[in-house]
Amino acid sequence: MAAKAATDVRRNRGFPQASRPWDGLKAEMLAAHADDNPWCHERSFTAAYFAGDDLLRCAHEAYDVHRDENGLFAASAYPSLAACERDLIAGVLDLLHAPEGAGGSTTAGGTESILMAMKAARDWARENRPVAGVPEVVVPKTAHAAFDKGAAWLGMKVIRMERSEGWRADVAGMAAAITENTVMIAGSAPPYPYGETDPIEEIAALAVEHDLWMHSDGCIGGMILPFMTMLGEPIPPFDFAVPGVTSMSVDMHKFGYAHKGISLCLLRDKALERYHRTTFDGWPAGTYSTPTITGTRSGGAVASAWAVMTHLGEEGYLRIYEAQRRIRERLVEGIGAIEGLVVLGRPHALHVTLYADGFDIFAVEEGTAARGWRSIRMREPDSILLWLNMKHAASVDDYLSDLAEVADEVRRGGLTAAMRGASNYAT
Ligand SMILES: Cc1ncc(COP(=O)(O)O)c(C=O)c1O
């Protein structure tokens, strides 16, 4: 299912001169789009957050209600959209055991939420515990690349651990990496590369001891782990119930099942919001004050997240995660029965990292790809990542039987990889 070269409609021809009727153009777009990989498919294990067609309809239709409104003017012009935003933030703060007085902002995605937490940490430190050098952020090896993007923009420095002990944060290494310039420390619940949540309690204890801003990155797990915990899974504490957690990022457009374009940057104390807010007054248009990076944005994503949260409620999310953890259990159990294949870490969410002991996992990836399965290549160690969704209820057994056959072929030397290296995320 590799993407084919875009057909005519997307060729770079410079700025169009003549107008063209939409109907014909639409037909061309759709024909070209037919060559793209499907965003979600039962044979694809790329990250697609699908929990049923009904839910998708809710996410899309709610988006459409506020799609054309500018979220920048929600407070002044669209009070019902502003109410959705307030409700959404309050609902997720409640889910994540935030204390009275907590607050938050909606952002366009996980990266923006992390950037806002970093800006807040930097400016909080400037005011409360100034450092002489470049402000440093200590993160586990597996922390998302957004921390490095943020550091580049904000004049900060990321100190990234070199090891990932037992597929989780190397807390001893993080403690040793704290210097007089450290202002922030972070962990992930769970990280992208392996599905096991970092020891957030231990990282937050370091924050308390050294007076640091602590960020728990729940971009993936913020909307899964509370429900997995309610379902009886042994999930380590990761949210505001942990003393010392200052901020969290929670992506509603991932496992909150909203339309893309919405995450939350949540704060233990809403007074901290002023450290990531930007206010400007020196132009003819009056005061311009926003807590995030974006200016104009569609009101749709906020509406979509609010509607999905309200439509599902705790009851609905529990139903979805009960079904999806059964898929994950079948997958993990099936992998365990295939000689030489190992799951790295203990998957707390819905992604599973697969390693081959004694043979080439990339040959396995290519062999399964030849049978129509898509997965993501990882490194350190070479491994493949599988993101699960509700579609896989229908296909996990077929995948396991193809995986067993392909692994056997690779183990016996009948299949080698044509390509090396991890998947790339470059635009
Ligand atoms: C743990 C984690 N944090 C942050 C992000 C960044 O989120 P986004 O791609 O929405 O900016 C991701 C994305 O996959 C992630 O897995």
Side-chain angles (χ1 to χ4, degrees):
M1 282 200 281
K4 294 178 205 150
T7 40
D8 264 352
V9 71
R10 306 287 163 80
R11 215 189 281 145
N12 186 3
R13 307 186 181 104
F15 194 82
Q17 298 295 300
S19 308
R20 294 189 53 197
W22 166 235
D23 284 349
L25 189 56
K26 182 179 175 189
E28 269 187 47
M29 276 184 84
L30 291 175
H33 181 46
D35 291 345
D36 293 338
N37 291 310
W39 78 274
C40 182
H41 186 272
E42 61 187 42
R43 285 189 167 243
S44 174
F45 294 104
T46 56
Y49 312 103
F50 174 79
D53 287 316
D54 284 356
L55 197 54
L56 210 52
R57 187 166 69 87
C58 165
H60 289 172
E61 290 182 4
Y63 187 96
D64 284 348
V65 173
H66 289 278
R67 183 190 57 207
D68 298 322
E69 289 153 19
N70 186 350
L72 186 57
F73 302 118
S76 54
Y78 313 114
S80 81
L81 180 61
C84 285
E85 187 167 23
R86 280 194 303 273
D87 257 27
L88 172 67
I89 292 168
V92 180
L93 282 171
D94 181 36
L95 181 71
L96 297 173
H97 304 106
E100 199 62 33
S105 307
T106 58
T107 70
T111 301
E112 191 181 2
S113 291
I114 289 173
L115 259 67
M116 295 340 291
M118 291 176 76
K119 178 180 181 303
R122 185 196 69 178
D123 291 3
W124 163 81
R126 272 184 191 158
E127 202 170 295
N128 295 285
R129 50 181 310 291
V131 296
V134 174
E136 292 173 2
V137 187
V138 175
V139 302
K141 177 166 183 68
T142 55
H144 195 268
F147 285 95
D148 295 75
K149 185 184 276 193
W153 285 17
L154 292 161
M156 299 171 87
K157 182 174 169 193
V158 172
I159 311 294
R160 185 176 285 268
M161 296 301 98
E162 281 177 8
R163 300 181 316 159
S164 185
E165 279 296 290
W167 319 112
R168 303 206 305 163
D170 167 15
V171 180
M174 292 175 79
I178 294 170
T179 69
E180 66 276 11
N181 289 323
T182 310
V183 298
M184 184 184 200
I185 194 164
S188 311
Y192 181 103
Y194 318 111
E196 186 159 349
T197 298
D198 284 328
I200 299 294
E201 276 180 311
E202 292 173 43
I203 299 171
L206 287 178
V208 172
E209 185 187 339
H210 296 274
D211 189 21
L212 305 174
W213 183 291
M214 197 277 161
H215 185 77
S216 175
D217 178 10
C219 281
I220 296 172
M223 289 300 291
I224 308 181
L225 302 185
F227 304 107
M228 291 294 188
T229 306
M230 291 176 209
L231 289 167
E233 298 251 323
I235 306 290
F238 67 97
D239 63 13
F240 290 109
V242 178
V245 170
T246 322
S247 57
M248 289 191 71
S249 39
V250 181
D251 288 359
M252 300 308 295
H253 66 191
K254 292 191 171 78
F255 293 100
Y257 298 109
H259 195 290
K260 283 191 186 50
I262 178 137
S263 167
L264 305 175
C265 176
L266 301 176
L267 301 166
R268 174 177 291 279
D269 179 354
K270 66 168 163 262
L272 297 171
E273 190 244 83
R274 72 192 170 93
Y275 294 115
H276 64 77
R277 175 174 284 276
T278 309
T279 301
F280 176 70
D281 207 16
W283 67 329
T287 303
Y288 183 101
S289 182
T290 55
T292 54
I293 297 172
T294 50
T296 295
R297 57 179 170 145
S298 167
V302 166
S304 177
W306 175 86
V308 172
M309 174 185 83
T310 310
H311 168 58
L312 284 177
E314 183 179 302
E315 195 187 341
Y317 279 109
L318 284 172
R319 207 170 39 242
I320 285 171
Y321 287 128
E322 176 57 45
Q324 298 201 76
R325 80 176 174 144
R326 269 191 263 116
I327 302 172
R328 190 191 67 200
E329 275 162 16
R330 263 156 71 200
L331 180 74
V332 170
E333 214 179 280
I335 290 169
I338 301 173
E339 195 187 328
L341 287 186
V342 181
V343 169
L344 298 183
R346 183 191 175 118
H348 284 149
L350 291 170
H351 59 304
V352 173
T353 313
L354 190 54
Y355 171 75
D357 191 5
F359 53 101
D360 185 2
I361 193 71
F362 291 159
V364 175
E365 188 271 330
E366 287 184 17
T368 50
R371 296 179 183 217
W373 301 100
R374 288 184 71 210
S375 49
I376 298 167
R377 287 177 171 217
M378 306 283 290
R379 61 182 188 207
E380 303 179 63
D382 288 352
S383 49
I384 54 181
L385 182 62
L386 307 169
W387 287 91
L388 298 176
N389 65 61
M390 213 69 121
K391 294 244 177 203
H392 299 121
S395 61
V396 66
D397 292 331
D398 290 346
Y399 177 68
L400 285 167
S401 93
D402 277 352
L403 186 64
E405 284 176 21
V406 170
D408 190 46
E409 209 182 333
V410 176
R411 220 182 310 104
R412 286 187 291 100
L415 193 62
T416 51
M419 263 172 46
R420 301 235 57 83
S423 309
N424 286 316
Y425 296 88
T427 53

